[in-house]
Amino acid sequence: MHSIVVFLIFKIGWKKLLPVGAIVTITFALFQLKTLPYQLKTPNLSHPDTNNFDIYLKSQITPLTIDKESEAIKIEPETDMLNSSSQSIQSIIVVQEKVIINQTRNQVNINKPNKSILSSSFSSSSERRRKRYLRDIKELSPYEALVYAKKELNTMSVGIDYHDPNLYVPLFRNITVFERSYELMELILKVFVYQDGKRPIFHTPYLRGIYSSEGWFMKFMESSKQFVTHDPQKAHLFYLPYSARQLQRALYVPDSHDIKPLSIFLKNYVNKIISKYPFWNRTHGSDHFLVACHDWGPYTLKEHEELTKNTIKALCNADTSEGVFIAGKDVSLPETTIGNPRRPLRNMGGKKISQRPILAFFAGEMHGRVRPTLLKYWANRDKKMIISGPMSYKTSQTMSYSLHMKSSKYCICPMGFEVNSPRIVEAIYYECVPVIIADNFVPPLNEVLNWNAFSVTVAEHDIPKLKEILEAISMKRYRMMQNNVKMLQRHFYWNRTPVKYDMFHMILHSIWFSRLNQIQDLTGTQ
């Protein structure tokens, strides 16, 4: 071979061989690019009719199960799918081709920016593959991107050892699924925010008090450069930016005990959205979401059937017995008390375990059915159990409400008029293990967080046995739960500027996760 090369150089001349070599090299490179595994693009693919598309695949539903307690999402048929069956089948084939990427993920690791693919030692071909993967993901239609994300999560391996050091594994139901889902959200998710609606009910975040979660989310969602798109054709989710708190302040007549005008107002607003834009009717509202923390949030939706049944609802009043909040589809919104919006993280933290002499603490108004029962059995009954009505001025001057929580091992969080309570998040802020007493209540962000790891749930009928239940918890387990509470805090912070994994991002992830739960598994993976 060496002799042949030398012969060609001398007989033909190296200047004549140079173009030939260049052509051979370019041809070989194009052949390699043509055979890369990440072929996601399919030109001229229209957005499928997602309603009929979901119905056609109803028998293949595979929800994103995170443990045995997770619930499947059932999409009820709204229309006949026979007229679009051929188009749906064609769409299925296209998406199946796109998700083949999962079969070759082990060849190029794109999960973490600090893994080997981005290290100084990765090959140029791997870098080209990574860039092409990211580009092709962004070129998927919104529905195709959701199908791809669903396929990714359905094929996740629980045995992956590496996890983001900013995440604490015991807090989560399935850390592997959460981590990958969060990464896909950051990579894919785009939200269209409707600009319709007059202030103050719309686009006016209320940032103070116990209903402030909806306001802080609105503030950050509408100003997000990462997640908001102004092109609704690129959106995976559609946000209805109203405030239940502002709705109550603007329309409710004091002492009238009539919230129907609020419900009619929302019904008219949604009907206006439906008549003005084509996006609601495409899925009958299942890719739209709202965020409402006021106790009346669920009740103000009832005049509009699709708004009640189909829309993804992030609600503080996450009561499964009312027929509005649907566990597994809707999101339990954390109820947070913000005193000073300029310093939302003021007065956080608590005392060491050795400096928490109080076994259990509660003080508050006698709202609802649970609190009177709590006081009946435990008020002034035990020195270790400080259970009372509203704290007197004299008592609060001696030892403030927050200091009581910081000095208690367990903080009792009973429901009020509704199942939700701001004390749950307050307990987390003060590093006190929450004790939740509210039947039919879904704890905040329950689809990803393992509440058994950092809280205690007591059934309402077990209130007489409250002390017995708490004292039966070993010190070893209590220390573990209390440490988990401290590790959990970052996920319940409203930072003045959103930070990865904080409250804003956790709520948005749960909404994104809910939308993925509605997507059919097109690959037959069980």
Side-chain angles (χ1 to χ4, degrees):
M1 181 61 71
H2 178 74
S3 301
I4 293 173
V5 172
V6 173
F7 173 78
L8 290 175
I9 291 174
F10 281 98
K11 288 293 183 179
I12 301 177
W14 66 272
K15 292 184 178 181
K16 294 181 179 180
L17 285 175
L18 186 60
V20 176
I23 292 172
V24 172
T25 302
I26 293 171
T27 302
F28 182 73
L30 290 174
F31 175 78
Q32 280 189 317
L33 289 174
K34 190 67 176 177
T35 57
L36 285 175
Y38 297 100
Q39 302 291 329
L40 288 174
K41 293 185 294 183
T42 301
N44 302 322
L45 179 67
S46 61
H47 194 293
D49 182 338
T50 56
N51 185 52
N52 291 336
F53 193 56
D54 284 353
I55 298 167
Y56 181 80
L57 289 168
K58 185 177 180 182
S59 62
Q60 301 183 43
I61 292 178
T62 305
L64 301 179
T65 53
I66 46 185
D67 69 354
K68 294 182 179 179
E69 297 178 358
S70 299
E71 298 190 29
I73 305 305
K74 298 181 180 180
I75 306 299
E76 295 297 331
E78 297 286 349
T79 59
D80 186 5
M81 46 65 66
L82 295 177
N83 293 331
S84 60
S85 60
S86 59
Q87 179 182 358
S88 298
I89 294 172
Q90 184 179 5
S91 300
I92 294 170
I93 295 173
V94 171
V95 178
Q96 284 177 326
E97 291 175 352
K98 292 177 182 293
V99 298
I100 291 176
I101 183 174
N102 293 279
Q103 300 174 3
T104 55
R105 270 189 63 199
N106 60 334
Q107 299 177 21
V108 182
N109 193 337
I110 47 80
N111 281 353
K112 297 281 187 297
N114 58 344
K115 287 190 176 181
S116 60
I117 186 170
L118 298 183
S119 67
S120 59
S121 62
F122 64 74
S123 65
S124 59
S125 62
S126 295
E127 174 65 3
R128 286 197 302 270
R129 288 180 178 182
R130 184 187 71 87
K131 289 182 178 180
R132 185 169 183 175
Y133 166 81
L134 296 176
R135 183 185 69 244
D136 290 351
I137 282 289
K138 292 182 182 297
E139 291 180 2
L140 291 174
S141 72
Y143 193 77
E144 292 167 349
L146 293 173
V147 171
Y148 167 69
K150 175 67 179 288
K151 172 64 178 177
E152 278 280 280
L153 299 188
N154 278 349
T155 56
M156 288 301 298
S157 171
V158 181
I160 296 176
D161 294 328
Y162 178 87
H163 296 295
D164 189 325
N166 292 312
L167 296 175
Y168 190 57
V169 175
L171 303 179
F172 295 90
R173 292 177 177 271
N174 188 324
I175 184 66
T176 305
V177 169
F178 169 76
E179 194 169 13
R180 182 59 179 153
S181 177
Y182 190 99
E183 291 166 350
L184 289 168
M185 177 187 76
E186 289 189 319
L187 176 65
I188 294 173
L189 179 60
K190 293 298 177 184
V191 177
F192 180 75
V193 181
Y194 287 106
Q195 297 304 308
D196 303 73
K198 295 182 180 180
R199 297 174 180 271
I201 296 174
F202 301 90
H203 314 290
T204 308
Y206 193 80
L207 304 178
R208 190 187 301 271
I210 63 174
Y211 303 128
S212 57
S213 287
E214 64 182 29
W216 283 86
F217 182 88
M218 180 191 295
K219 168 184 168 68
F220 293 140
M221 186 75 264
E222 292 202 304
S223 63
S224 174
K225 295 181 180 179
Q226 177 180 3
F227 296 110
V228 169
T229 178
H230 299 291
D231 182 358
Q233 298 294 344
K234 296 180 180 179
H236 307 90
L237 287 166
F238 295 79
Y239 175 41
L240 304 172
Y242 83 97
S243 164
R245 171 60 168 158
Q246 297 285 36
L247 180 68
Q248 175 260 328
R249 294 181 66 184
L251 297 182
Y252 178 69
V253 177
D255 300 322
S256 68
H257 306 290
D258 183 12
I259 64 174
K260 190 170 183 178
L262 286 65
S263 301
I264 293 175
F265 180 89
L266 280 184
K267 175 185 176 180
N268 293 336
Y269 165 70
V270 173
N271 286 337
K272 179 181 178 181
I273 293 294
I274 293 173
S275 63
K276 185 176 180 180
Y277 302 93
F279 310 110
W280 181 283
N281 287 332
R282 195 170 59 191
T283 63
H284 294 274
S286 63
D287 57 359
H288 287 57
F289 72 93
L290 58 90
V291 178
C293 193
H294 195 279
D295 287 354
W296 295 349
Y299 311 123
T300 58
L301 311 175
K302 290 187 175 182
E303 288 294 317
H304 198 290
E305 184 177 359
E306 288 184 347
L307 181 66
T308 303
K309 291 184 177 180
N310 300 342
T311 306
I312 300 171
K313 303 175 287 295
L315 302 173
C316 287
N317 189 0
D319 188 342
T320 58
S321 68
E322 295 289 343
V324 177
F325 184 91
I326 304 172
K329 179 180 77 69
D330 296 326
V331 175
S332 180
L333 182 67
E335 185 171 358
T336 52
T337 303
I338 301 295
N340 184 352
R342 294 186 178 183
R343 298 177 61 190
L345 302 183
R346 182 174 175 234
N347 199 28
M348 300 293 178
K351 295 185 177 183
K352 299 177 181 179
I353 293 178
S354 60
Q355 297 174 341
R356 292 177 177 266
I358 304 170
L359 176 64
F361 167 71
F362 168 79
E365 299 287 349
M366 292 296 99
H367 296 157
R369 65 179 183 266
V370 170
R371 298 182 187 183
T373 304
L374 183 65
L375 262 67
K376 173 184 175 182
Y377 284 96
W378 296 109
N380 303 316
R381 295 292 183 91
D382 193 300
K383 293 182 179 180
K384 292 184 178 180
M385 306 272 287
I386 299 181
I387 308 293
S388 70
M391 293 182 65
S392 66
Y393 177 79
K394 181 179 179 180
T395 302
S396 63
Q397 290 299 303
T398 304
M399 187 173 181
S400 67
Y401 178 86
S402 61
L403 189 55
H404 271 86
M405 297 190 86
K406 293 181 179 185
S407 303
S408 300
K409 291 182 174 65
Y410 298 96
C411 289
I412 311 302
C413 307
M415 64 176 289
F417 288 127
E418 305 296 342
V419 293
N420 47 303
S421 170
R423 286 172 177 79
I424 296 174
V425 177
E426 288 174 351
I428 293 171
Y429 286 167
Y430 300 140
E431 300 172 5
C432 180
V433 175
V435 178
I436 302 172
I437 309 178
D439 295 350
N440 307 312
F441 176 59
V442 177
L445 311 177
N446 188 60
E447 54 281 323
V448 295
L449 295 178
N450 176 19
W451 280 81
N452 290 329
F454 48 80
S455 71
V456 179
T457 300
V458 175
E460 293 176 22
H461 64 79
D462 284 334
I463 289 176
K465 298 186 290 185
L466 179 59
K467 183 180 180 182
E468 178 184 346
I469 291 171
L470 297 181
E471 289 188 330
I473 299 173
S474 67
M475 179 54 68
K476 179 180 179 181
R477 175 163 176 75
Y478 170 76
R479 288 182 182 277
M480 179 195 70
M481 287 194 295
Q482 203 263 348
N483 179 68
N484 290 347
V485 168
K486 290 192 288 186
M487 302 302 292
L488 179 70
Q489 284 179 327
R490 60 171 298 158
H491 301 303
F492 283 81
Y493 283 164
W494 286 114
N495 296 288
R496 293 191 63 183
T497 301
V499 177
K500 188 171 184 176
Y501 301 131
D502 70 357
M503 181 84 87
F504 168 70
H505 288 97
M506 292 296 288
I507 295 169
L508 184 61
H509 172 267
S510 288
I511 295 168
W512 150 264
F513 195 76
S514 174
R515 179 56 183 150
L516 290 185
N517 240 342
Q518 300 176 40
I519 302 301
Q520 310 304 321
D521 180 6
L522 306 185
T523 63
T525 302
Q526 299 297 324

